[in-house]
């Protein structure tokens, strides 16, 4: 790759390489060349070849590290090299991953308020809900899209699945713990009226 | 805080401070809402006092209590003239200032002079303490922090061919996450969380799933008689709830005809 | 760091360095030396100094990259270098959260004066502190209850957590910006009463 770049591809721009490196590490999903280009202001948007040259140079930079840059279907992503797999496996056995508070809040809102749209969840949480979070829950098959709301954009309506209930060993949603706060809040609402 | 607003109010007070009355000349009138915003920019009476001291370049370790008390009272009176709900702390501070001022008027008794502390000392120390926390909070806000300046480098581990265990979650984690949300909702009272029984929520989701991709169903198709009376009630409540949320439509082709349920069609794309 | 290692610290073990690198990238939270050690089978567990030498070597390796190894309160983590942050911020549509003065003042008091009760915070700020504010800080795991004060009502004593320091990119409380000195009082008689 490095050899190619000295022939036809433009000189690797060091600053560009650093920017692409930072973006690929910070993004939590693979990024395509087009997505990388879109990060730049319109007038400064680099050409495809410039991004590609930066990517090639990064592949070279990380050749001997424990992680490397790989191309997957949806773009480029830094990955742990396969020879490190046994160690990474030991790490996860030692320190099982945890869900973020934001994700727990999201699944809690879906469970107790279903069917809800992402917008509904955002409204209740008061902050935006990332696609990543929804995807994690869909991947885990804890939630599913039950319908689309007939409003502009036809947002998906999410509900919990049977797998979600199975995981928590519940036979129905009604078996979820009742929330005292919920009742207190409802009472308060009635008093205001 | 808006500089323009602060400057504005500052001018008014300067004009008013020297005078024993609080009638605003017409050209200096500030709408009460603006005063409210102004007051809202302060974190409490200490913050307001600090502002008054700093605005006049007074020395915090040797504040002229009479002068500062007079100005503070002007603000408080302006606020109460507009019938703002002043937090009790502001009134408490007014009382404290008045007390300090009156104690300073009293002749000191020779015998106790040594052990009697200057009545201003406690207040000045509190102001100093508060000011340094205020500065520390500003410095903290400037520190590089996650989400704004610090971004974690992440890599994909799914390709290393190891079984990555899924995070384990206890039901209690979900309940406490929701409780956290509810506490916040409580704070921002304009959001409402409805309190339908979960069985109704579950049925609502099931009905939507059934309607997805279908045209419509007869009303009766959603009632499962095997579940008995409770099941019928839950289905009925779920349908009413969905209708209220404008997710479904209940249609009747002719008077006394059978009711049909269908997913609601949007106005723009129906 | 590199020079030290040639004197007292054991030679940097290339394999060890790669393992530590893979683990730090794979872990979703900062990892301490002890946590890194714990990944190894008991009989092969490397000494602290061996891990530390690997960490030092990695710092050096990433000196010129767009990301680097950084120490925060709960351990080491790879993060994007701060000069790249403006580019990375462009990746995310959502604006980063802003914190209210009330929240910042409250957390500052807890950080600098810990352990403190809610009453102590109210005393310094001169206003009442809502339960919501304390709950928000507890939910974020920025503070925790470390004890109860043996006074009537046994109020909770709050202290900051490692997560709080991690969030603000600090490795210890001592790294917080110093508090301004209190001036000595210089109270003179009132001129105009």
């Amino acid at each position: 790759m490095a050899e190619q770049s000295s022939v036809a591809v433009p000189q690797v721009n060091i600053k560009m390489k650093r920017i692409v490196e930072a973006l690929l590490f910070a993004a939590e999903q693979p990024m395509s060349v087009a997505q990388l280009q879109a990060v730049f202001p319109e007038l400064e948007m680099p050409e495809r070849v410039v991004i590609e040259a930066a990517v090639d140079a990064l592949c070279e930079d990380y050749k001997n590290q424990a992680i490397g840059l790989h191309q997957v279907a949806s773009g480029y992503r830094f990955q742990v090299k396969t020879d490190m797999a046994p160690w990474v496996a030991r790490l996860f056995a030692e320190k099982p991953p945890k869900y973020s508070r934001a994700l727990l809040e999201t699944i809690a809102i879906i469970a107790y308020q279903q069917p809800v749209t992402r917008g509904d969840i955002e409204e209740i949480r008061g902050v935006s809900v990332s696609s990543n979070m929804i995807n994690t829950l869909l991947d885990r098959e804890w939630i599913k899209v039950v319908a689309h709301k007939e409003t502009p954009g036809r947002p998906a309506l999410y509900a919990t699945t049977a797998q979600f209930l199975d995981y928590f060993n519940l036979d129905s949603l009604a078996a979820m713990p009742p929330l005292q706060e919920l009742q207190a809040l409802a009472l308060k609402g009635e008093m205001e009226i | 805080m808006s500089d323009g607003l602060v400057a504005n109010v500052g001018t008014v007070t300067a004009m008013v401070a020297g005078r024993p009355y609080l009638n605003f000349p017409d050209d200096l009138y500030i709408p009460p809402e603006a005063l409210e915003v102004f007051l809202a920019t302060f974190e409490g009476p200490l913050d307001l006092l600090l502002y008054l001291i700093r605005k006049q370049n007074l020395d915090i370790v040797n504040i002229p209590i009479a002068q500062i008390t007079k100005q503070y009272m002007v603000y408080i009176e302006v606020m109460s003239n507009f019938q703002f709900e002043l937090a009790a702390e502001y009134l408490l501070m007014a009382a404290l200032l008045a007390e300090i001022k009156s104690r300073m008027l009293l002749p000191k008794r020779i015998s106790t002079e040594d052990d009697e502390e200057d009545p201003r000392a406690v207040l000045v120390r509190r102001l100093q303490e508060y000011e340094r926390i205020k500065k520390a909070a500003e410095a903290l806000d400037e520190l590089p922090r996650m989400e704004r300046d610090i971004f974690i480098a992440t890599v994909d581990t799914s390709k290393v061919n190891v079984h990555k265990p899924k995070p384990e979650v206890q039901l209690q984690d979900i309940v406490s996450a929701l409780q956290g949300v509810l506490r916040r909702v409580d704070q921002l009272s304009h959001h409402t969380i409805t309190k339908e029984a979960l069985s109704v929520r579950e049925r609502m989701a099931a009905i939507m799933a059934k309607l997805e991709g279908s045209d419509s169903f007869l009303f009766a198709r959603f009632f499962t008689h095997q579940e008995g009376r409770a099941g019928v009630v839950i289905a009925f409540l779920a349908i009413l709830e969905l209708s209220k949320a404008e997710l479904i439509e209940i249609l009747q082709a002719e008077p006394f005809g059978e009711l049909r349920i269908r997913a609601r069609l949007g106005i723009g794309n129906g």
Side-chain angles (χ1 to χ4, degrees), chain A, chain B:
Chain A
M1 280 175 282
E3 278 166 47
Q4 278 183 349
S5 66
S6 62
V7 188
V9 180
Q11 200 65 37
V12 176
N13 177 327
I14 299 292
K15 192 184 158 210
M16 187 59 63
K17 190 179 82 170
R18 275 173 68 85
I19 295 172
V20 170
E21 186 182 10
L23 293 175
L24 289 175
F25 272 115
E28 278 159 16
Q29 273 152 353
M31 286 191 84
S32 64
V33 172
Q35 285 170 323
L36 287 164
Q37 284 178 299
V39 173
F40 292 81
E42 212 171 332
L43 294 172
E44 298 171 33
M45 193 187 285
E47 301 276 337
R48 276 192 77 88
V49 283
V50 175
I51 301 272
E52 281 162 0
V55 167
D56 283 351
L58 284 170
C59 284
E60 191 60 24
D61 279 5
Y62 281 89
K63 209 171 55 184
N64 298 316
Q65 302 305 124
I67 53 160
L69 190 50
H70 290 265
Q71 185 166 18
V72 293
S74 54
Y76 296 97
R77 183 88 175 101
F78 278 103
Q79 295 177 351
V80 174
K81 297 232 174 105
T82 43
D83 62 321
M84 288 291 121
W87 294 103
V88 174
R90 292 189 62 91
L91 167 72
F92 291 143
E94 184 69 31
K95 228 178 158 239
K98 275 171 76 176
Y99 283 137
S100 66
R101 178 133 206 118
L103 187 133
L104 291 174
E105 287 181 7
T106 302
I107 182 68
I109 291 168
I110 296 174
Y112 281 91
Q113 295 286 298
Q114 59 190 286
V116 287
T117 65
R118 188 159 138 183
D120 297 334
I121 303 168
E122 290 178 342
E123 172 121 351
I124 294 171
R125 288 193 56 228
V127 286
S128 57
V129 171
S130 71
S131 311
N132 248 338
M133 217 138 59
I134 298 289
N135 286 335
T136 302
L137 291 169
L138 286 169
D139 283 349
R140 186 137 195 197
E141 299 186 328
W142 276 6
I143 62 169
K144 65 183 176 202
V145 176
V146 288
H148 289 266
K149 197 166 178 174
E150 291 299 341
T151 51
R154 300 193 75 245
L157 281 160
Y158 299 101
T160 52
T161 60
Q163 285 92 322
F164 171 79
L165 292 175
D166 288 348
Y167 183 89
F168 293 105
N169 210 13
L170 301 168
D171 57 0
S172 75
L173 266 188
M176 294 271 296
L179 286 161
Q180 289 179 331
E181 269 82 344
L182 251 184
Q183 284 149 4
L185 212 77
L187 274 176
K188 221 178 126 194
E190 276 156 26
M191 280 172 34
E192 275 162 20
I193 299 163
Chain B
M1 76 176 87
S2 144
D3 286 334
L5 178 60
V6 172
N8 229 344
V9 177
T11 325
V12 172
T13 323
M15 295 293 292
V16 176
R19 302 173 196 183
Y21 54 83
L22 281 160
N23 297 325
F24 287 104
D26 287 343
D27 55 335
L28 283 173
Y29 176 76
I30 295 177
E33 310 85 65
L35 275 171
E36 197 160 21
V37 171
F38 178 59
L39 187 65
T41 63
F42 292 106
E43 285 297 321
L46 290 171
D47 200 19
L48 175 57
L49 272 178
L50 268 182
Y51 168 79
L52 295 175
I53 292 166
R54 291 302 178 206
K55 193 176 61 137
Q56 294 166 93
N57 285 319
L58 294 175
D59 187 0
I60 194 170
V61 296
N62 191 18
I63 46 167
I65 201 82
Q67 190 184 337
I68 221 69
T69 302
K70 210 184 289 168
Q71 294 192 355
Y72 186 87
M73 297 305 187
V74 169
Y75 273 85
I76 297 305
E77 255 181 276
V78 169
M79 302 298 171
S80 45
N81 278 3
F82 285 112
Q83 301 186 324
F84 289 150
E85 260 192 67
L86 264 183
E89 294 99 354
Y90 284 92
L91 302 173
L92 198 66
M93 178 59 73
L96 178 70
L97 287 169
E99 194 212 326
I100 296 174
K101 202 173 139 187
S102 63
R103 275 179 61 194
M104 296 202 51
L105 288 170
L106 294 174
K108 283 178 188 156
R109 264 179 279 157
I110 310 293
S111 57
T112 55
E113 195 178 16
D114 288 336
D115 38 34
E116 197 179 338
E117 201 180 26
D118 189 310
R120 293 167 295 179
V122 175
L123 177 66
V124 169
R125 238 175 262 128
R126 282 190 69 190
L127 281 168
Q128 283 185 297
E129 275 288 346
Y130 176 68
E131 187 174 45
R132 82 179 179 154
I133 284 299
K134 186 180 157 175
K135 292 239 167 80
E138 285 164 8
L140 190 65
D141 202 20
E142 298 288 308
L143 284 181
R145 63 174 187 236
M146 302 258 289
E147 298 176 274
R148 190 185 66 189
D149 322 281
I150 301 294
F151 300 95
I152 305 303
T154 63
V155 299
D156 183 11
T157 51
S158 61
K159 303 295 187 299
V160 288
N161 221 7
V162 294
H163 167 70
K164 183 175 177 181
K166 299 281 187 197
E168 297 213 3
V169 181
Q170 303 294 317
L171 194 50
Q172 188 50 44
D173 299 338
I174 290 188
V175 174
S176 63
L178 189 64
Q179 282 168 336
V181 173
L182 290 173
R183 280 197 297 257
R184 293 207 306 267
V185 167
D186 207 12
Q187 195 174 17
L188 315 161
S189 53
H190 56 280
H191 294 302
T192 49
I193 296 246
T194 44
K195 45 151 186 165
E196 276 80 44
L198 280 171
S199 47
V200 176
R201 288 268 155 208
E202 192 171 29
R203 187 60 60 93
M204 285 164 68
I207 292 171
M208 288 310 291
K210 195 168 178 179
L211 283 172
E212 174 82 331
S214 324
D215 181 30
S216 64
F217 281 103
L218 282 177
F219 196 60
R221 289 281 303 280
F222 292 104
F223 296 86
T224 43
H225 294 278
Q226 303 92 307
E227 290 175 320
R229 185 186 290 264
V232 173
V233 170
I234 284 168
F236 187 64
L237 287 175
I239 287 170
L240 290 181
E241 205 49 57
L242 286 169
S243 168
K244 197 174 90 187
E246 300 187 354
L247 289 168
I248 58 167
E249 283 176 313
I250 304 174
L251 309 167
Q252 192 176 31
E254 54 190 358
F256 306 108
E258 276 198 280
L259 294 173
R260 292 190 80 86
I261 308 291
R262 74 169 187 208
R264 201 176 145 86
L265 295 178
I267 295 151
N269 49 1

